[in-house]
Amino acid sequence: MGLRVLSALDAAKVQYYHFKAIIVAGMGLFTDAYDLFCIPPIMKLLGRVYYEDNHDHKYQIPQAVLATMLGTVLLGTVIGQLVFGMLGDRMGRRHVYGISLMLMVLSSVGCGFSICRTKTCVLASLGFFRFFLGLGIGGDYPLSATIMSEFANKNTRGAFIAAVFSMQGLGILASSTVTMVVSKTFEAAASKNLSKDHTPEDADIAWRLILMLGAVPAGLTYYWRMMMPETARYTALVENNALQAVKDMEKVLDVSICHIAEDNPIQQPQNPPSYPLISMRFLRVHGMDLFSCATTWLLLDIAFYSSSLFQSQIYRKHLDLQGTNVYNEAFKVAFFQTMVAIAATIPGYWFTVYFIDRIGRKKIQMMGFLCMSIVYFSIGIPYHYWGTNENKGFLVLYGLTFFFANFGPNTTTFIVPAELFPARFRSTCHGISGAMGKVGAFFGTLGFLWSTKNNEGGDLPRIKSMRIALVSLGGICLLGMAVTYLFTRETNGRSLEENEKEMENSELCFFRCSMDADRHPKTSVPEEVITL
């Protein structure tokens, strides 16, 4: 019966529940992108509200404070991915799935309330709540990917997981839209008292409202997330309860297990290996896969997060992002992010959804890394030209990095770890891979904070340091392509159990060959025989 339910899942037609699962599972990624991309315009508002008396750089938040605000959420994300990933394998996916979403919702609201109104207190409480927001976001990564991979059939599994991840694009669009609407609303309400050098007190409410509104969509899906059954693969393979797995699947999918013909049943071993995660056998069987997933994700996030978080600073020579007042300035940054999302980011996600099961994960990941590196070199090496001329070609080229990141490694690094590992390790290994990515994101943001420091009294990032940063990102992308080519396995068109069985068999073959070599050592040929 256990084999039948797995075969039924791999053979199931695309149904309504699959699309419902995409929305429910993707809402955590939506919230992640919302909270990440609303930070640049919010930093503009916070700078105007709390750093008006900063004489050296008026209205600008110090680099140390900005790094702390970004670092706290990334630190929380790393911990959340590790902890919730492990709990997902030990307690079950659905039991901790609602916890991660509720943590995101409550933390988003907490970020908005941020207790008091003095600068130190507001920033400390904002950092505190953003840490817990990161915990929830981090927990959602391995759980969403694992749940979607275990519900989907093998022919459209990549498209379904990519569709879950593409909810990030909608989150970016929503954060920018909400920021623009809130900014225009407050600007209209305070139109008589606004000027470039005057910041009204209501601006302290605007940024709080933007943060809290991000919790609404995620909160609305909490009920459906709690109603999701445990995945059949976890119930059948980890809990060894095939009958319950069948009952759960028949509730949500239009499949009748008793009518499934097992022409080519999945060959699952009768006594699956029980080695622990921390063991030499795990390293022999899955160590290379974990290395490739974690390393490519780390390299990708160094480039992707540094480019995403500081795109408005990189573009500011080429676009007029200086507003006539506090709300207009936040509006311009949000509007710019909207244009980038519509022109490059969102199309990249959906190109992956369409091509992932046609081309394969490995080819798309290599292509994305290669194209990103070409673009970074193209804008980095001649940056003395781009940085001193208002050239629209720079805008187009830099936007291509977002397109090829999403039609490439940003999406595939989310998909592949959910397909390579056995059910009992799947969530944990995805969490480890994602945590390495966020470590890369942390160092990438610190590096770009350094490279985008202003000249003395100037507004432009230093040309030499920007050239070094962009060329370095190109080199990192080339390294990511090399790691993908050498170490990443293709998972397209095969069931999750077939991916697991391939590595188990290769390890077993290696073990048997070693035993045979020990039992039958090569005998040397006597010298006199050779002479004859």
Side-chain angles (χ1 to χ4, degrees):
M1 183 68 74
L3 300 182
R4 286 189 175 185
V5 69
L6 301 184
S7 297
L9 284 171
D10 282 328
K13 296 179 180 179
V14 177
Q15 302 173 29
Y16 164 75
Y17 186 77
H18 287 125
F19 295 102
K20 180 179 177 181
I22 289 172
I23 300 299
V24 175
M27 200 48 64
L29 280 303
F30 176 98
T31 306
D32 168 30
Y34 183 100
D35 285 291
L36 177 68
F37 281 86
C38 72
I39 283 300
I42 283 178
M43 288 296 108
K44 292 289 184 181
L45 291 169
L46 287 173
R48 293 293 296 260
V49 173
Y50 294 107
Y51 287 91
E52 193 171 3
D53 57 349
N54 190 349
H55 300 295
D56 295 331
H57 299 286
K58 192 174 183 181
Y59 302 137
Q60 290 188 17
I61 296 178
Q63 299 281 23
V65 175
L66 187 58
T68 302
M69 288 295 104
L70 297 172
T72 51
V73 69
L74 291 174
L75 175 62
T77 304
V78 170
I79 296 173
Q81 287 176 316
L82 295 174
V83 172
F84 280 90
M86 179 188 65
L87 292 177
D89 284 333
R90 293 194 176 186
M91 299 173 58
R93 302 7 173 166
R94 71 175 298 271
H95 286 93
V96 291
Y97 204 27
I99 299 175
S100 66
L101 185 70
M102 188 52 62
L103 197 55
M104 283 189 283
V105 171
L106 295 178
S107 299
S108 295
V109 175
C111 286
F113 278 110
S114 288
I115 306 173
C116 44
R117 295 190 64 183
T118 60
K119 177 169 62 178
T120 303
C121 185
V122 165
L123 294 176
S125 60
L126 183 59
F128 173 81
F129 284 114
R130 285 188 63 78
F131 172 79
F132 284 97
L133 176 65
L135 283 179
I137 290 172
D140 205 79
Y141 268 72
L143 295 173
S144 292
T146 300
I147 286 174
M148 198 67 244
S149 71
E150 293 180 344
F151 271 125
N153 66 62
K154 66 180 181 180
N155 294 322
T156 58
R157 185 178 62 238
F160 285 158
I161 305 175
V164 169
F165 195 67
S166 72
M167 292 293 287
Q168 280 195 334
L170 298 181
I172 296 170
L173 198 58
S175 70
S176 300
T177 303
V178 168
T179 301
M180 288 190 292
V181 171
V182 170
S183 297
K184 281 298 180 184
T185 302
F186 276 75
E187 184 179 24
S191 57
K192 294 181 179 180
N193 300 319
L194 282 177
S195 66
K196 188 171 184 178
D197 296 323
H198 173 68
T199 303
E201 291 187 2
D202 290 346
D204 197 36
I205 300 174
W207 68 265
R208 298 171 187 267
L209 183 60
I210 293 169
L211 283 173
M212 288 190 288
L213 287 175
V216 174
L220 293 176
T221 62
Y222 180 78
Y223 171 80
W224 287 279
R225 183 170 284 202
M226 296 308 298
M227 291 297 103
M228 294 179 73
E230 185 57 81
T231 68
R233 285 185 162 89
Y234 183 86
T235 304
L237 300 177
V238 181
E239 295 182 338
N240 296 314
N241 189 346
L243 182 60
Q244 184 60 46
V246 172
K247 292 179 179 179
D248 288 342
M249 286 304 96
E250 287 184 323
K251 291 178 182 177
V252 295
L253 292 177
D254 185 18
V255 292
S256 180
I257 306 302
C258 61
H259 293 100
I260 295 295
E262 294 193 71
D263 296 328
N264 296 295
I266 297 170
Q267 298 298 321
Q268 186 72 10
Q270 294 296 321
N271 296 304
S274 58
Y275 53 87
L277 177 70
I278 304 176
S279 66
M280 289 304 299
R281 185 170 182 186
F282 175 86
L283 289 178
R284 286 197 304 269
V285 179
H286 304 291
M288 193 69 73
D289 289 336
L290 186 58
F291 168 79
S292 68
C293 291
T295 304
T296 52
W297 206 331
L298 179 141
L299 296 172
L300 177 275
D301 275 3
I302 291 175
F304 183 73
Y305 272 74
S306 58
S307 299
S308 298
L309 290 173
F310 301 106
Q311 53 185 287
S312 61
Q313 293 190 46
I314 295 169
Y315 276 134
R316 60 187 170 186
K317 171 63 180 177
H318 309 276
L319 294 172
D320 179 19
L321 296 179
Q322 296 298 318
T324 56
N325 56 66
V326 57
Y327 300 122
N328 185 250
E329 191 170 337
F331 177 89
K332 284 191 172 184
V333 173
F335 179 78
F336 162 68
Q337 291 185 160
T338 303
M339 293 300 100
V340 174
I342 293 173
T345 305
I346 295 176
Y349 285 121
W350 288 101
F351 265 68
T352 305
V353 172
Y354 183 78
F355 286 107
I356 188 73
D357 291 313
R358 292 171 170 82
I359 299 177
R361 288 73 162 143
K362 186 173 182 177
K363 290 180 180 178
I364 289 179
Q365 186 160 302
M366 290 178 60
M367 178 271 299
F369 270 130
L370 177 61
C371 292
M372 289 174 68
S373 67
I374 292 173
V375 174
Y376 279 128
F377 288 141
S378 298
I379 61 179
I381 294 174
Y383 188 75
H384 63 281
Y385 171 75
W386 302 117
T388 56
N389 295 275
E390 295 186 13
N391 196 309
K392 302 305 179 185
F394 179 88
L395 306 180
V396 175
L397 286 174
Y398 201 76
L400 287 176
T401 63
F402 297 104
F403 175 81
F404 285 111
N406 293 315
F407 183 35
N410 190 39
T411 306
T412 53
T413 52
F414 180 79
I415 295 172
V416 173
E419 300 179 313
L420 280 177
F421 302 99
R424 63 190 182 281
F425 300 137
R426 188 167 292 136
S427 180
T428 301
C429 290
H430 195 287
I432 293 171
S433 302
M436 286 298 294
K438 292 304 174 285
V439 171
F442 177 75
F443 287 108
T445 54
L446 287 184
F448 242 66
L449 274 173
W450 166 79
S451 64
T452 56
K453 281 183 178 179
N454 294 341
N455 290 313
E456 294 182 6
D459 290 329
L460 290 175
R462 295 175 297 181
I463 290 177
K464 183 178 179 180
S465 58
M466 276 298 299
R467 180 188 293 117
I468 294 172
L470 291 169
V471 171
S472 298
L473 293 182
I476 287 169
C477 291
L478 282 181
L479 182 59
M481 184 186 70
V483 173
T484 302
Y485 177 75
L486 294 173
F487 302 109
T488 301
R489 287 194 295 133
E490 183 57 74
T491 59
N492 187 30
R494 298 188 296 180
S495 71
L496 300 178
E497 289 68 40
E498 287 171 340
N499 288 326
E500 174 185 356
K501 183 184 175 185
E502 178 187 0
M503 294 310 295
E504 296 286 356
N505 287 345
S506 64
E507 194 267 345
L508 181 60
C509 179
F510 174 80
F511 178 74
R512 286 176 176 173
C513 291
S514 300
M515 292 293 291
D516 289 341
D518 292 338
R519 289 176 183 173
H520 305 288
K522 293 182 180 179
T523 56
S524 59
V525 181
E527 185 176 349
E528 59 270 19
V529 174
I530 299 176
T531 304
L532 293 174

PDB file of all heavy atoms in Angstrom, residues 50-68:
ATOM      1  N   TYR A  50      14.450  60.100  12.167  1.00  0.00           N
ATOM      2  CA  TYR A  50      15.325  59.971  13.332  1.00  0.00           C
ATOM      3  C   TYR A  50      16.747  60.477  13.122  1.00  0.00           C
ATOM      4  O   TYR A  50      17.535  60.486  14.070  1.00  0.00           O
ATOM      5  CB  TYR A  50      15.376  58.497  13.776  1.00  0.00           C
ATOM      6  CG  TYR A  50      14.052  57.996  14.283  1.00  0.00           C
ATOM      7  CD1 TYR A  50      13.285  57.111  13.531  1.00  0.00           C
ATOM      8  CD2 TYR A  50      13.561  58.421  15.510  1.00  0.00           C
ATOM      9  CE1 TYR A  50      12.066  56.652  13.994  1.00  0.00           C
ATOM     10  CE2 TYR A  50      12.338  57.977  15.979  1.00  0.00           C
ATOM     11  CZ  TYR A  50      11.594  57.098  15.210  1.00  0.00           C
ATOM     12  OH  TYR A  50      10.381  56.654  15.677  1.00  0.00           O
ATOM     13  N   TYR A  51      17.123  60.865  11.903  1.00  0.00           N
ATOM     14  CA  TYR A  51      18.489  61.332  11.661  1.00  0.00           C
ATOM     15  C   TYR A  51      18.492  62.710  11.017  1.00  0.00           C
ATOM     16  O   TYR A  51      19.365  63.030  10.213  1.00  0.00           O
ATOM     17  CB  TYR A  51      19.246  60.321  10.794  1.00  0.00           C
ATOM     18  CG  TYR A  51      19.615  59.075  11.573  1.00  0.00           C
ATOM     19  CD1 TYR A  51      18.751  57.983  11.601  1.00  0.00           C
ATOM     20  CD2 TYR A  51      20.791  59.007  12.305  1.00  0.00           C
ATOM     21  CE1 TYR A  51      19.051  56.843  12.322  1.00  0.00           C
ATOM     22  CE2 TYR A  51      21.115  57.871  13.029  1.00  0.00           C
ATOM     23  CZ  TYR A  51      20.241  56.796  13.040  1.00  0.00           C
ATOM     24  OH  TYR A  51      20.541  55.673  13.765  1.00  0.00           O
ATOM     25  N   GLU A  52      17.517  63.524  11.399  1.00  0.00           N
ATOM     26  CA  GLU A  52      17.459  64.887  10.892  1.00  0.00           C
ATOM     27  C   GLU A  52      18.588  65.736  11.454  1.00  0.00           C
ATOM     28  O   GLU A  52      19.025  66.708  10.836  1.00  0.00           O
ATOM     29  CB  GLU A  52      16.107  65.520  11.245  1.00  0.00           C
ATOM     30  CG  GLU A  52      15.820  66.806  10.512  1.00  0.00           C
ATOM     31  CD  GLU A  52      14.388  67.275  10.716  1.00  0.00           C
ATOM     32  OE1 GLU A  52      13.661  66.613  11.478  1.00  0.00           O
ATOM     33  OE2 GLU A  52      14.004  68.271  10.098  1.00  0.00           O
ATOM     34  N   ASP A  53      19.095  65.338  12.634  1.00  0.00           N
ATOM     35  CA  ASP A  53      20.157  66.108  13.275  1.00  0.00           C
ATOM     36  C   ASP A  53      21.545  65.551  12.985  1.00  0.00           C
ATOM     37  O   ASP A  53      22.527  65.924  13.630  1.00  0.00           O
ATOM     38  CB  ASP A  53      19.938  66.148  14.789  1.00  0.00           C
ATOM     39  CG  ASP A  53      19.853  64.751  15.397  1.00  0.00           C
ATOM     40  OD1 ASP A  53      19.756  63.778  14.623  1.00  0.00           O
ATOM     41  OD2 ASP A  53      19.864  64.630  16.644  1.00  0.00           O
ATOM     42  N   ASN A  54      21.652  64.639  12.009  1.00  0.00           N
ATOM     43  CA  ASN A  54      22.951  64.090  11.634  1.00  0.00           C
ATOM     44  C   ASN A  54      23.646  65.092  10.704  1.00  0.00           C
ATOM     45  O   ASN A  54      23.377  65.153   9.508  1.00  0.00           O
ATOM     46  CB  ASN A  54      22.765  62.736  10.925  1.00  0.00           C
ATOM     47  CG  ASN A  54      24.085  62.008  10.728  1.00  0.00           C
ATOM     48  OD1 ASN A  54      25.154  62.580  10.923  1.00  0.00           O
ATOM     49  ND2 ASN A  54      24.002  60.743  10.328  1.00  0.00           N
ATOM     50  N   HIS A  55      24.565  65.878  11.266  1.00  0.00           N
ATOM     51  CA  HIS A  55      25.127  67.002  10.519  1.00  0.00           C
ATOM     52  C   HIS A  55      26.038  66.551   9.388  1.00  0.00           C
ATOM     53  O   HIS A  55      26.127  67.217   8.351  1.00  0.00           O
ATOM     54  CB  HIS A  55      25.898  67.920  11.478  1.00  0.00           C
ATOM     55  CG  HIS A  55      25.036  68.487  12.569  1.00  0.00           C
ATOM     56  ND1 HIS A  55      23.995  69.366  12.310  1.00  0.00           N
ATOM     57  CD2 HIS A  55      25.040  68.286  13.919  1.00  0.00           C
ATOM     58  CE1 HIS A  55      23.404  69.690  13.453  1.00  0.00           C
ATOM     59  NE2 HIS A  55      24.017  69.044  14.442  1.00  0.00           N
ATOM     60  N   ASP A  56      26.762  65.447   9.568  1.00  0.00           N
ATOM     61  CA  ASP A  56      27.681  64.993   8.528  1.00  0.00           C
ATOM     62  C   ASP A  56      26.925  64.514   7.294  1.00  0.00           C
ATOM     63  O   ASP A  56      27.263  64.861   6.165  1.00  0.00           O
ATOM     64  CB  ASP A  56      28.573  63.870   9.066  1.00  0.00           C
ATOM     65  CG  ASP A  56      29.489  64.355  10.180  1.00  0.00           C
ATOM     66  OD1 ASP A  56      29.836  65.543  10.152  1.00  0.00           O
ATOM     67  OD2 ASP A  56      29.844  63.541  11.060  1.00  0.00           O
ATOM     68  N   HIS A  57      25.920  63.681   7.516  1.00  0.00           N
ATOM     69  CA  HIS A  57      25.112  63.164   6.409  1.00  0.00           C
ATOM     70  C   HIS A  57      23.649  63.240   6.842  1.00  0.00           C
ATOM     71  O   HIS A  57      23.082  62.274   7.351  1.00  0.00           O
ATOM     72  CB  HIS A  57      25.493  61.726   6.063  1.00  0.00           C
ATOM     73  CG  HIS A  57      26.914  61.567   5.634  1.00  0.00           C
ATOM     74  ND1 HIS A  57      27.363  61.985   4.397  1.00  0.00           N
ATOM     75  CD2 HIS A  57      27.994  61.055   6.286  1.00  0.00           C
ATOM     76  CE1 HIS A  57      28.662  61.724   4.295  1.00  0.00           C
ATOM     77  NE2 HIS A  57      29.068  61.170   5.416  1.00  0.00           N
ATOM     78  N   LYS A  58      23.064  64.392   6.626  1.00  0.00           N
ATOM     79  CA  LYS A  58      21.706  64.624   7.098  1.00  0.00           C
ATOM     80  C   LYS A  58      20.732  63.665   6.446  1.00  0.00           C
ATOM     81  O   LYS A  58      20.784  63.426   5.237  1.00  0.00           O
ATOM     82  CB  LYS A  58      21.309  66.073   6.797  1.00  0.00           C
ATOM     83  CG  LYS A  58      20.030  66.517   7.505  1.00  0.00           C
ATOM     84  CD  LYS A  58      19.769  67.999   7.273  1.00  0.00           C
ATOM     85  CE  LYS A  58      18.537  68.446   8.041  1.00  0.00           C
ATOM     86  NZ  LYS A  58      18.253  69.887   7.814  1.00  0.00           N
ATOM     87  N   TYR A  59      19.838  63.109   7.259  1.00  0.00           N
ATOM     88  CA  TYR A  59      18.788  62.177   6.839  1.00  0.00           C
ATOM     89  C   TYR A  59      19.307  60.794   6.434  1.00  0.00           C
ATOM     90  O   TYR A  59      18.537  59.971   5.962  1.00  0.00           O
ATOM     91  CB  TYR A  59      17.955  62.743   5.668  1.00  0.00           C
ATOM     92  CG  TYR A  59      17.294  64.064   5.957  1.00  0.00           C
ATOM     93  CD1 TYR A  59      17.300  65.074   5.000  1.00  0.00           C
ATOM     94  CD2 TYR A  59      16.662  64.303   7.176  1.00  0.00           C
ATOM     95  CE1 TYR A  59      16.695  66.295   5.252  1.00  0.00           C
ATOM     96  CE2 TYR A  59      16.052  65.516   7.438  1.00  0.00           C
ATOM     97  CZ  TYR A  59      16.072  66.518   6.474  1.00  0.00           C
ATOM     98  OH  TYR A  59      15.472  67.717   6.732  1.00  0.00           O
ATOM     99  N   GLN A  60      20.606  60.534   6.616  1.00  0.00           N
ATOM    100  CA  GLN A  60      21.149  59.232   6.237  1.00  0.00           C
ATOM    101  C   GLN A  60      21.422  58.384   7.470  1.00  0.00           C
ATOM    102  O   GLN A  60      22.056  58.833   8.424  1.00  0.00           O
ATOM    103  CB  GLN A  60      22.432  59.389   5.424  1.00  0.00           C
ATOM    104  CG  GLN A  60      22.211  59.963   4.030  1.00  0.00           C
ATOM    105  CD  GLN A  60      23.470  59.912   3.194  1.00  0.00           C
ATOM    106  OE1 GLN A  60      24.407  59.194   3.511  1.00  0.00           O
ATOM    107  NE2 GLN A  60      23.513  60.687   2.122  1.00  0.00           N
ATOM    108  N   ILE A  61      20.931  57.140   7.437  1.00  0.00           N
ATOM    109  CA  ILE A  61      21.183  56.208   8.534  1.00  0.00           C
ATOM    110  C   ILE A  61      22.632  55.745   8.450  1.00  0.00           C
ATOM    111  O   ILE A  61      23.102  55.370   7.375  1.00  0.00           O
ATOM    112  CB  ILE A  61      20.228  55.010   8.454  1.00  0.00           C
ATOM    113  CG1 ILE A  61      18.784  55.492   8.634  1.00  0.00           C
ATOM    114  CG2 ILE A  61      20.559  53.955   9.490  1.00  0.00           C
ATOM    115  CD1 ILE A  61      17.751  54.393   8.534  1.00  0.00           C
ATOM    116  N   PRO A  62      23.370  55.733   9.565  1.00  0.00           N
ATOM    117  CA  PRO A  62      24.771  55.284   9.535  1.00  0.00           C
ATOM    118  C   PRO A  62      24.895  53.848   9.032  1.00  0.00           C
ATOM    119  O   PRO A  62      23.986  53.030   9.219  1.00  0.00           O
ATOM    120  CB  PRO A  62      25.201  55.404  11.006  1.00  0.00           C
ATOM    121  CG  PRO A  62      24.285  56.426  11.592  1.00  0.00           C
ATOM    122  CD  PRO A  62      22.978  56.253  10.884  1.00  0.00           C
ATOM    123  N   GLN A  63      26.023  53.563   8.403  1.00  0.00           N
ATOM    124  CA  GLN A  63      26.248  52.240   7.828  1.00  0.00           C
ATOM    125  C   GLN A  63      26.156  51.141   8.875  1.00  0.00           C
ATOM    126  O   GLN A  63      25.641  50.044   8.604  1.00  0.00           O
ATOM    127  CB  GLN A  63      27.632  52.191   7.157  1.00  0.00           C
ATOM    128  CG  GLN A  63      27.813  53.175   6.019  1.00  0.00           C
ATOM    129  CD  GLN A  63      27.161  52.697   4.733  1.00  0.00           C
ATOM    130  OE1 GLN A  63      26.253  51.881   4.750  1.00  0.00           O
ATOM    131  NE2 GLN A  63      27.621  53.220   3.614  1.00  0.00           N
ATOM    132  N   ALA A  64      26.654  51.397  10.085  1.00  0.00           N
ATOM    133  CA  ALA A  64      26.619  50.374  11.137  1.00  0.00           C
ATOM    134  C   ALA A  64      25.185  50.023  11.512  1.00  0.00           C
ATOM    135  O   ALA A  64      24.852  48.853  11.736  1.00  0.00           O
ATOM    136  CB  ALA A  64      27.388  50.860  12.365  1.00  0.00           C
ATOM    137  N   VAL A  65      24.321  51.035  11.589  1.00  0.00           N
ATOM    138  CA  VAL A  65      22.919  50.792  11.930  1.00  0.00           C
ATOM    139  C   VAL A  65      22.222  50.027  10.800  1.00  0.00           C
ATOM    140  O   VAL A  65      21.462  49.081  11.045  1.00  0.00           O
ATOM    141  CB  VAL A  65      22.191  52.127  12.202  1.00  0.00           C
ATOM    142  CG1 VAL A  65      20.700  51.897  12.445  1.00  0.00           C
ATOM    143  CG2 VAL A  65      22.819  52.839  13.393  1.00  0.00           C
ATOM    144  N   LEU A  66      22.508  50.428   9.567  1.00  0.00           N
ATOM    145  CA  LEU A  66      21.902  49.748   8.417  1.00  0.00           C
ATOM    146  C   LEU A  66      22.336  48.287   8.358  1.00  0.00           C
ATOM    147  O   LEU A  66      21.521  47.391   8.105  1.00  0.00           O
ATOM    148  CB  LEU A  66      22.306  50.481   7.133  1.00  0.00           C
ATOM    149  CG  LEU A  66      21.634  50.019   5.833  1.00  0.00           C
ATOM    150  CD1 LEU A  66      20.118  50.129   5.936  1.00  0.00           C
ATOM    151  CD2 LEU A  66      22.154  50.828   4.652  1.00  0.00           C
ATOM    152  N   ALA A  67      23.629  48.037   8.603  1.00  0.00           N
ATOM    153  CA  ALA A  67      24.130  46.665   8.601  1.00  0.00           C
ATOM    154  C   ALA A  67      23.484  45.841   9.707  1.00  0.00           C
ATOM    155  O   ALA A  67      23.172  44.662   9.524  1.00  0.00           O
ATOM    156  CB  ALA A  67      25.651  46.662   8.761  1.00  0.00           C
ATOM    157  N   THR A  68      23.243  46.456  10.856  1.00  0.00           N
ATOM    158  CA  THR A  68      22.598  45.741  11.962  1.00  0.00           C
ATOM    159  C   THR A  68      21.160  45.392  11.631  1.00  0.00           C
ATOM    160  O   THR A  68      20.691  44.278  11.917  1.00  0.00           O
ATOM    161  CB  THR A  68      22.642  46.599  13.235  1.00  0.00           C
ATOM    162  OG1 THR A  68      24.004  46.921  13.553  1.00  0.00           O
ATOM    163  CG2 THR A  68      22.019  45.858  14.409  1.00  0.00           C
TER     164      THR A  68
END
